[in-house]
Amino acid sequence: MVKWVQGERRPLPGSPCPPQQHLLPLLLLMLLLLAAAPLLPPVSAEPAPQPGPGEGSEEAGGGLTGVTDDSPPVFLEQPQDAYVIKNKPASITCRAAHALKVHFKCNGGVPAPNTETESAFVDPMTGVRVMEVQLQVEKSVVEGVGDQDEAGYTCHCVAWSSRGQTISRTVKVATAYLRRYFEEPPYSQSVPLEQHVELRCLPPLGRPQPTSTWHKDNLPIDFNLHPSYKISSEGSLLILSARPEDSGNYTCVADNVAAKRVSDPALLKVYVDGAWSSWSSWTSCSSRCGRGTQRRSRTCSAPTPLNGGAACQGLAVQRTDCSHLCPGGDCQDEPCEEAVDGSWASWSSWSTCGPDCRHHRQRSCSAPSPQHGGRYCSGDDFTSSNCTGGMCRSGRGSSVKMYGDKSTTEEATAAAVQQDITLIVVLAVLVPLVLLLLVVVFRKFNRKDRHDGPLYEIAASGVLLILYDSHCLVKLDL
């Protein structure tokens, strides 16, 4: 094949040359290579790696190294899955080198010509011709195919040249959407300090699958600044150890290429139960001379109740008695004396037994008496007990009842119980006898009042009644 250029005949690139014109240069080149072979570095026996489909592009960082001019087409950019967003068509791009023709095939057919845009350029770094094609897929095309084919609308790129053809990966074109409502929105919680927290969030259904992110108080959460925050595979927010500063309003954000959805805020409250601080030191005695009081206190501040936490239980202030020995000399215009606590005197003699068979005795806090703020005696100053030793009188007549110790009281109680038992037995026998007597009397009087006995029936029938007496025979005609 010959092409004429400015009056000269030059072969086209790639066409075979006549052997008679290049035989001598080839022989000279071979001799030079054989002579320089000992001076060349050793060559590894391993073959150089060949770039696969998609490799060798500038995006892959490899260029077209190792690809010869007689290689089949090589993809520099593989097509990717695309989505139709609302009424905006999906766009698929494919780029190949060493190709004379690049086009798409979708669902086994060729798309409409007006949907493809083809362009070609030469890479200035390598001098290789690159072809690029872009396909626009409308929403109506995707939805129409989706009703007939479960796989949906699929496409692949075909790069062709005289040395062969290469087919790209198959991609899918679908309609993108995102539902309005969350499958499970986050809910408000109130948790104690340092507890594990899970704010669940299942995003709405969508295509492609939406990703979940979280905001706190309307600001995105920086997980690098909060290492205790994690996101689960489902999109829920995990707080490994809750702190008071973690309290706030949390919102779950779900988005994809079609839309963005924000959940209702969920309030997280991390409450802290109160705890007492250490006791303070005792204060000085309230009285400079004699008895007084002193106190100590504590506060519910270790920690302070927060976000509805429980308050401390118990007393915040303790008081106790104290005494202060006053030195001699002037003491605020009063004589400074040492405080003296009171002490009980001896018990008095027992009183005479009263009508209630009890006698009494008493004592006084006078040995010594409390002085200068000293404490009063503790205990009872009056007591009473049952009379003993035959001194208790009944109060009527001249008879004397002896009340001894506990054994005498028990004997009296046993006698009273025995009398009660006897009375119950007598009543149990007499009551049935009286009832029986009343029944007999009642039946006797009831028979006297009856006029329909056997004799009365015979007299009323007019029968001759013969009565036998010991002396004579009596005949009665009734």
Side-chain angles (χ1 to χ4, degrees):
M1 185 174 185
V2 179
K3 180 179 179 182
W4 294 93
V5 179
Q6 295 182 355
E8 297 181 3
R9 189 174 63 178
R10 297 180 180 178
L12 288 176
S15 62
C17 298
Q20 64 274 12
Q21 297 179 1
H22 297 281
L23 182 60
L24 183 58
L26 289 176
L27 292 175
L28 293 175
L29 179 61
M30 292 177 62
L31 292 174
L32 291 175
L33 291 176
L34 290 174
L39 301 177
L40 294 176
V43 180
S44 175
E46 296 181 0
Q50 299 293 329
E55 297 179 355
S57 63
E58 294 180 1
E59 294 79 4
L64 293 172
T65 304
V67 179
T68 60
D69 292 341
D70 57 352
S71 299
V74 177
F75 283 105
L76 304 180
E77 181 180 345
Q78 291 271 2
Q80 303 294 327
D81 293 338
Y83 297 91
V84 178
I85 304 172
K86 297 182 180 180
N87 294 323
K88 182 180 178 181
S91 179
I92 311 175
T93 302
C94 175
R95 186 184 301 171
H98 303 295
L100 297 177
K101 179 68 175 177
V102 179
H103 65 278
F104 279 99
K105 282 190 176 181
C106 298
N107 285 70
V110 179
N114 58 349
T115 60
E116 283 188 334
T117 303
E118 184 177 343
S119 61
F121 61 92
V122 177
D123 189 342
M125 300 297 295
T126 60
V128 177
R129 186 172 182 269
V130 179
M131 293 200 66
E132 179 178 310
V133 62
Q134 189 177 52
L135 175 65
Q136 302 289 329
V137 183
E138 297 289 339
K139 181 178 181 180
S140 58
V141 176
V142 175
E143 292 180 347
V145 174
D147 297 336
Q148 303 173 4
D149 191 349
E150 294 182 358
Y153 194 78
T154 58
C155 299
H156 63 267
C157 187
V158 180
W160 177 88
S161 72
S162 61
R163 300 173 185 87
Q165 71 175 11
T166 306
I167 300 177
S168 71
R169 61 186 293 266
T170 301
V171 297
K172 185 174 182 180
V173 182
T175 303
Y177 68 91
L178 184 62
R179 301 297 185 193
R180 182 178 300 274
Y181 300 105
F182 282 76
E183 291 291 301
E184 183 176 350
Y187 294 101
S188 300
Q189 296 184 34
S190 181
V191 298
L193 183 67
E194 298 181 354
Q195 179 172 314
H196 177 82
V197 181
E198 179 182 7
L199 292 173
R200 291 187 57 80
C201 176
L202 296 181
L205 297 177
R207 185 193 301 128
Q209 180 67 27
T211 58
S212 297
T213 57
W214 284 86
H215 289 187
K216 178 187 176 184
D217 298 329
N218 297 325
L219 295 177
I221 297 177
D222 189 348
F223 291 90
N224 294 325
L225 298 178
H226 300 84
S228 62
Y229 287 17
K230 305 292 181 183
I231 292 184
S232 67
S233 58
E234 295 179 345
S236 301
L237 178 64
L238 306 177
I239 303 178
L240 304 182
S241 181
R243 300 164 298 174
E245 53 267 26
D246 294 329
S247 299
N249 290 306
Y250 290 81
T251 52
C252 181
V253 181
D255 62 342
N256 60 7
V257 295
K260 178 180 179 180
R261 302 285 185 247
V262 180
S263 69
D264 293 332
L267 177 61
L268 176 64
K269 291 176 61 177
V270 181
Y271 64 85
V272 180
D273 293 334
W276 290 112
S277 64
S278 301
W279 286 103
S280 65
S281 302
W282 288 101
T283 61
S284 58
C285 193
S286 61
S287 176
R288 295 183 60 187
C289 296
R291 291 290 176 179
T293 58
Q294 58 183 162
R295 60 190 294 273
R296 66 175 182 174
S297 61
R298 58 181 178 175
T299 58
C300 188
S301 59
T304 304
L306 184 65
N307 293 333
C312 301
Q313 302 294 325
L315 298 176
V317 179
Q318 281 185 345
R319 291 179 174 83
T320 185
D321 295 334
C322 61
S323 61
H324 185 72
L325 298 178
C326 299
D330 187 15
C331 189
Q332 294 184 353
D333 299 331
E334 293 182 3
C336 296
E337 300 289 345
E338 183 179 354
V340 178
D341 294 337
S343 181
W344 290 114
S346 301
W347 287 101
S348 64
S349 301
W350 287 103
S351 64
T352 306
C353 287
D356 57 350
C357 296
R358 300 185 69 83
H359 57 177
H360 317 282
R361 64 177 181 175
Q362 61 184 2
R363 60 180 178 175
S364 62
C365 185
S366 58
S369 301
Q371 297 179 12
H372 311 299
R375 294 181 180 178
Y376 192 80
C377 303
S378 62
D380 297 330
D381 61 352
F382 182 86
T383 184
S384 64
S385 65
N386 290 329
C387 299
T388 58
M391 299 300 296
C392 182
R393 298 182 178 274
S394 63
R396 288 189 179 183
S398 59
S399 60
V400 178
K401 293 184 179 179
M402 303 297 296
Y403 290 86
D405 54 5
K406 182 178 178 181
S407 60
T408 305
T409 304
E410 293 178 352
E411 292 177 358
T413 303
V417 172
Q418 185 65 31
Q419 292 178 359
D420 294 340
I421 295 175
T422 304
L423 179 61
I424 293 172
V425 172
V426 172
L427 291 176
V429 174
L430 290 179
V431 169
L433 292 177
V434 172
L435 292 176
L436 181 61
L437 180 62
L438 291 175
V439 171
V440 172
V441 172
F442 176 76
R443 294 184 64 182
K444 182 177 181 180
F445 280 99
N446 190 26
R447 289 179 179 177
K448 288 183 178 182
D449 294 338
R450 294 182 58 183
H451 298 289
D452 53 351
L455 296 178
Y456 180 81
E457 292 179 357
I458 295 175
S461 61
V463 179
L464 179 64
L465 180 61
I466 301 175
L467 300 176
Y468 293 92
D469 194 5
S470 59
H471 300 285
C472 62
L473 176 66
V474 180
K475 180 178 180 183
L476 298 175
D477 187 6
L478 301 177

